Amino acid sequence: MRTPLIDRRAFMKAAGAGFALSLSPRALAATLSVDAVYATAYQRRDGAYGAAILSEDGRILHTVELPDRGHDVTFDPVSRRSVVFARQPGTFATVFDHKGEAAPVTIASVGGRHFYGHGAFSPDGRLLYATENDFDNAAGMIGVYDATDGFRRIGEFPTWGVGPHEVLLLGDGRTLAIANGGIETHPDFGRAKLNIPTMKPSLVFVDRVTGDRLEHHELPPELHQLSIRHMDTDAAGAVWFGCQHEGPATERPLLVGSARRGEKLELVEMADGVLGGFRNYIGSVAANRDAGTIAVSSPQGNTMAVIDAASRKIVETRSLVEVCGLAPDLDGFRATTGTGETLGPDGAEWSHPDYVWDNHLARIG
Amino acid sequence: MARGNSPSPLWGGVRGGGVRRARLAAVFLATCLFLAPTLSAHAENALIARTIEGFVRPAYAAFHETTGRLDAAAEKLCAEPSENSLAAARDSYRASVTAWSRIEAVRFGPVTEQNRLERILFWPDRKSIGLKQVQAAIAEQDPSATDVTALGGKSVAMQGLGALEFVLFGTGADDLASAAGAYRCSYGLAIAGNLDSIAAEVDAAWTAPDGIARQWTNPGPENPLYRSDAEAMTELFNVFVHGLEMVRDVRINGFLGKTPDSDKPKQAVYWRSAATVPSLRADLQGLSDLFKVADFSGQLGPDEGWIAQSIAFEFANADAALKAAEAPPAEILEDGARRAKLDYARLVTSSLSELFGVRLAAALGLSAGFSSLDGD
């Protein structure tokens, strides 16, 4: 089937590698406004940090410099702006317009809070929700920012857990799913994990309008060191999550699961050979809602795997050095790696050896 | 688009060059004669085998030896309380701290089982959980805290070097020199005995022929911990990268502010025993010794030798600066010259992080695990 997307790809390929560079700003803006493109944080080999917009054919179309290491990028389709959050315990988030129409805006976290690297927009693009740490009280918070008023911070509500990591807005437009990783940190001590023996991760559903906790899910007590960190939703509305195990490497807990309102968390059974390939660490989770698949990646184990959401079976595994960033692409997934590679769903490969792609890849169009 | 660096077979395996393979073979021939027969006879793992034989095993054995002495010193203190036996117990404590600091950057393997890391040292203790529990045990003379086995099952904050530091150096510790400190002493003795048994377990696990040492040196598809040489080498590399980060971000930044008005001397690890700087020196000396023993020179090209030289140079710089700063944390922070030395040592750890994480990693064809190293 030839979709318009593929037609554009063919056109881009025909236009050649220097295509984006040869465009006038206006023409580039036009390209960016119609093409499926991707955003990711990076570090350059010279040490500089930033966020990049990647084209479908693996080119770097645009970059934004960052003062320190970034983490995930969140896109607002209404204003077509993206936000890249600092990696925890960073204190900035940079809003950028990759059409080149406005200068980037940097949001600073307020006193007593730092960012955790993830956030979500409301469906109308008016509000931005960010996972934050109330570090003196070791309490997870969602900071609420008014995107129509210079991203002024207008409030916050608790995540009902310690060390919140990713936050997702569910399909109802109102419920937030929050992964409380359970790990206590304090900026006085960098990224040191302060409570490994007693950590207690959770997955919480919160009403973004009232801040009320709707549901609170935990794994069985023997899995209390299994940090729930990354999520995406499938077409049926289930939240899929990936975990990082903080206990001994000799333990082999299941690492991927799903959650639904009103039901218990359910972990995905995997053969030892597949599970062992993750080295107890899932770095990123992405759903392809059209294809009915979920991809998970392990940069520690140099592996990505694709799960069929309906049957909960692994349908594909791929070895890829330091793979982490994942985003849906056509009927498969696009992946980025810590060695500067980008892989398309058809196996096409592009390399930017001067760039080290960070953990996450966001589809922004 | 071509890659900038081909990974060496040591790290990546797939796209390596023949030159590095030849160098590895030479390293293997030169070193395999000294390897214990239980370890790998696999060329790429000679480097790992060297680190186990030459650093990891001796360092854990040394820690175990110091905890044995500490246990004996505590026993003597309780049997014959006096100023002298208290001083001896305190000296033994500091020796255990130094020995532990040399190896504590190795945060994988047996030391991660059964919460041993936190049971040896629960730190930082931001909410003073340990302090409160230790003070409560002493105030209530909790009999269960004086039993080694029972203590091992209690809160991690009650049973390690942090708890013992308060017993030996905290408010009321001078009681230990007389019969007035009898309960406090027996609790301290239990902590020392518990530390000694944890140290013995880790030592034994690393010495065992079929344990972690065999797994780390014999990667393969059936190995549950390391499926490839790259994974085994990454484990070693992580020790340096995380160890330097710990020294800088957790240990030094924890009490040395950006400016003097944000200094927090009582957030320094081991401030009560004035072992803060000795432990920092031991942390870096351990990493430096591990680097020497591992000997990456065989993996570096002729124009990359400067990296190893720079690393050695910077380790020496850091140690000289820390040596010049050496004093209890509060005194360092009040003395501009000493504080500046500590600040400089912090700067050097950043330079070392760059040398390992960027330069050495690139020379070895490794991306330094940007995402895989604790990427979130």
Side-chain angles (χ1 to χ4, degrees):
Chain A
M1 187 176 71
R2 285 182 63 81
T3 65
L5 190 62
I6 290 175
D7 285 339
R8 273 202 300 281
R9 285 185 175 183
F11 168 67
M12 296 288 274
K13 196 174 271 180
F19 176 70
L21 292 175
S22 71
L23 292 177
S24 68
R26 186 179 297 272
L28 177 60
T31 299
L32 288 170
S33 67
V34 294
D35 264 316
V37 286
Y38 299 86
T40 177
Y42 65 78
Q43 184 179 27
R44 286 177 62 104
R45 295 285 182 181
D46 65 7
Y49 292 106
I53 305 299
L54 304 178
S55 70
E56 293 181 294
D57 54 350
R59 287 170 303 154
I60 299 169
L61 296 177
H62 185 59
T63 61
V64 182
E65 287 177 13
L66 297 177
D68 206 337
R69 185 169 172 182
H71 194 61
D72 194 20
V73 178
T74 299
F75 178 65
D76 169 30
V78 179
S79 68
R80 303 195 60 76
R81 286 182 297 189
S82 299
V83 183
V84 55
F85 290 95
R87 177 202 199 206
Q88 72 104 348
T91 55
F92 70 90
T94 298
V95 185
F96 62 100
D97 164 12
H98 51 269
K99 289 189 279 181
E101 289 173 355
V105 174
T106 294
I107 311 169
S109 57
V110 295
R113 305 284 182 274
H114 68 69
F115 292 116
Y116 268 112
H118 291 268
F121 278 96
S122 60
D124 58 7
R126 294 174 62 87
L127 298 173
L128 173 68
Y129 300 91
T131 49
E132 300 181 359
N133 190 8
D134 170 1
F135 44 79
D136 282 333
N137 296 307
M141 303 299 287
I142 296 292
V144 187
Y145 296 82
D146 185 346
T148 67
D149 184 14
F151 290 87
R152 189 167 56 88
R153 194 174 191 276
I154 55 171
E156 65 178 13
F157 50 82
T159 68
W160 309 94
V162 171
H165 199 63
E166 189 152 14
V167 57
L168 291 181
L169 180 66
L170 302 192
D172 63 5
R174 178 138 180 183
T175 307
L176 295 174
I178 304 164
N180 288 305
I183 299 169
E184 180 185 344
T185 58
H186 190 286
D188 279 3
F189 302 103
R191 294 166 52 79
K193 298 164 183 171
L194 306 177
N195 66 332
I196 295 302
T198 55
M199 60 184 279
K200 207 172 177 186
S202 61
L203 198 160
V204 174
F205 293 109
V206 170
D207 182 328
R208 72 174 177 89
V209 177
T210 62
D212 289 342
R213 175 170 53 169
L214 304 172
E215 276 185 28
H216 187 110
H217 295 267
E218 286 178 15
L219 293 162
E222 64 273 19
L223 295 177
H224 82 99
Q225 288 181 319
L226 198 54
S227 180
I228 305 173
R229 299 174 78 78
H230 293 110
M231 303 177 293
D232 204 350
T233 51
D234 68 15
V239 176
W240 288 75
F241 60 87
C243 302
Q244 299 172 6
H245 183 50
E246 297 292 338
T250 46
E251 295 176 1
R252 274 278 171 270
L254 297 173
L255 297 170
V256 180
S258 61
R260 286 173 176 282
R261 293 285 300 276
E263 293 176 19
K264 279 173 39 175
L265 300 187
E266 229 182 305
L267 293 169
V268 176
E269 293 291 337
M270 290 184 192
D272 289 349
V274 175
L275 190 61
F278 296 134
R279 303 202 87 210
N280 283 348
Y281 189 105
I282 297 294
S284 176
V285 176
N288 188 322
R289 286 181 274 278
D290 296 330
T293 50
I294 311 295
V296 297
S297 61
S298 171
Q300 309 269 12
N302 305 308
T303 303
M304 66 173 278
V306 179
I307 301 161
D308 177 70
S311 68
R312 305 172 74 83
K313 300 281 185 227
I314 301 274
V315 291
E316 185 193 348
T317 60
R318 204 191 282 189
S319 289
L320 208 49
V321 174
E322 282 199 49
V323 60
C324 200
L326 295 172
D329 190 355
L330 298 176
D331 59 354
F333 291 91
R334 171 162 300 230
T336 51
T337 77
T339 58
E341 314 272 347
T342 305
L343 266 90
D346 53 359
E349 198 175 329
W350 302 275
S351 181
H352 292 279
D354 197 38
Y355 287 80
V356 173
W357 303 128
D358 216 316
N359 299 53
H360 300 295
L361 181 68
R363 184 163 175 162
I364 60 171
Chain B
M1 207 176 289
R3 293 177 62 94
N5 286 307
S6 295
S8 77
L10 186 63
W11 298 98
V14 191
R15 293 182 250 184
V19 178
R20 286 213 169 98
R21 193 178 294 281
R23 277 206 300 274
L24 280 170
V27 169
F28 172 60
L29 285 172
T31 55
C32 65
L33 299 172
F34 304 103
L35 300 179
T38 56
L39 295 181
S40 172
H42 187 156
E44 282 82 350
N45 295 313
L47 195 149
I48 300 292
R50 282 201 299 275
T51 68
I52 294 171
E53 285 299 306
F55 181 79
V56 179
R57 282 176 173 171
Y60 278 126
F63 174 54
H64 182 203
E65 196 194 344
T66 62
T67 57
R69 289 188 197 180
L70 175 62
D71 192 33
E75 198 168 346
K76 178 141 193 265
L77 175 64
C78 297
E80 302 164 35
S82 70
E83 291 294 340
N84 279 346
S85 51
L86 177 56
R90 286 172 168 170
D91 284 347
S92 295
Y93 173 84
R94 291 193 190 95
S96 290
V97 165
T98 302
W100 168 243
S101 301
R102 279 179 53 77
I103 188 68
E104 70 174 324
V106 174
R107 298 174 88 80
F108 67 93
V111 79
T112 63
E113 307 273 345
Q114 298 165 34
N115 293 322
R116 285 180 184 131
L117 267 175
E118 293 84 5
R119 289 166 63 213
I120 294 169
L121 176 64
F122 178 69
W123 193 91
D125 181 3
R126 273 200 60 249
K127 292 172 221 147
S128 298
I129 298 167
L131 178 65
K132 287 172 196 155
Q133 290 173 343
V134 170
Q135 284 174 327
I138 292 172
E140 293 158 18
Q141 307 218 336
D142 172 6
S144 68
T146 63
D147 178 82
V148 175
T149 311
L151 184 65
K154 284 181 179 287
S155 152
V156 297
M158 279 188 78
Q159 50 178 306
L161 290 167
L164 187 53
E165 187 187 41
F166 184 81
V167 169
L168 289 174
F169 299 89
T171 308
D174 290 342
D175 287 356
L176 292 169
S178 71
Y183 173 81
R184 187 177 186 122
C185 199
S186 53
Y187 172 35
L189 177 58
I191 301 174
N194 181 53
L195 276 167
D196 192 41
S197 69
I198 300 169
E201 288 162 10
V202 179
D203 186 13
W206 275 98
T207 309
D210 290 328
I212 179 75
R214 180 181 287 267
Q215 286 178 311
W216 196 17
T217 48
N218 287 282
E222 302 305 314
N223 184 326
L225 295 181
Y226 307 100
R227 293 165 311 158
S228 66
D229 292 324
E231 287 182 0
M233 290 303 299
T234 300
E235 189 83 276
L236 175 62
F237 211 79
N238 288 357
V239 172
F240 296 108
V241 174
H242 284 166
L244 289 163
E245 183 181 301
M246 179 193 74
V247 168
R248 181 183 57 251
D249 294 354
V250 186
R251 294 293 161 87
I252 300 181
N253 284 349
F255 75 103
L256 178 68
K258 287 200 177 83
T259 54
D261 60 353
S262 55
D263 288 345
K264 294 171 183 167
K266 289 190 179 178
Q267 276 196 182
V269 68
Y270 308 122
W271 66 269
R272 287 188 172 87
S273 56
T276 306
V277 172
S279 79
L280 289 171
R281 290 182 70 190
D283 279 326
L284 292 175
Q285 279 164 359
L287 292 173
S288 172
D289 289 350
L290 177 60
F291 180 69
K292 279 182 209 147
V293 167
D295 185 10
F296 288 90
S297 59
Q299 278 75 49
L300 297 175
D303 53 348
E304 293 163 340
W306 67 272
I307 300 169
Q309 286 162 20
S310 296
I311 286 172
F313 176 72
E314 292 289 45
F315 272 127
N317 276 342
D319 191 61
L322 287 170
K323 193 174 175 192
E326 197 149 335
E331 287 176 36
I332 296 173
L333 298 174
E334 279 165 16
D335 175 342
R338 286 183 194 274
R339 192 182 182 284
K341 290 289 182 188
L342 184 62
D343 204 11
Y344 176 70
R346 170 164 67 181
L347 192 68
V348 174
T349 59
S350 292
S351 165
L352 280 164
S353 288
E354 156 94 9
L355 284 165
F356 275 99
V358 181
R359 305 296 167 189
L360 185 61
L364 297 169
L366 180 79
S367 72
F370 183 63
S371 284
S372 64
L373 282 183
D374 208 11
D376 279 334

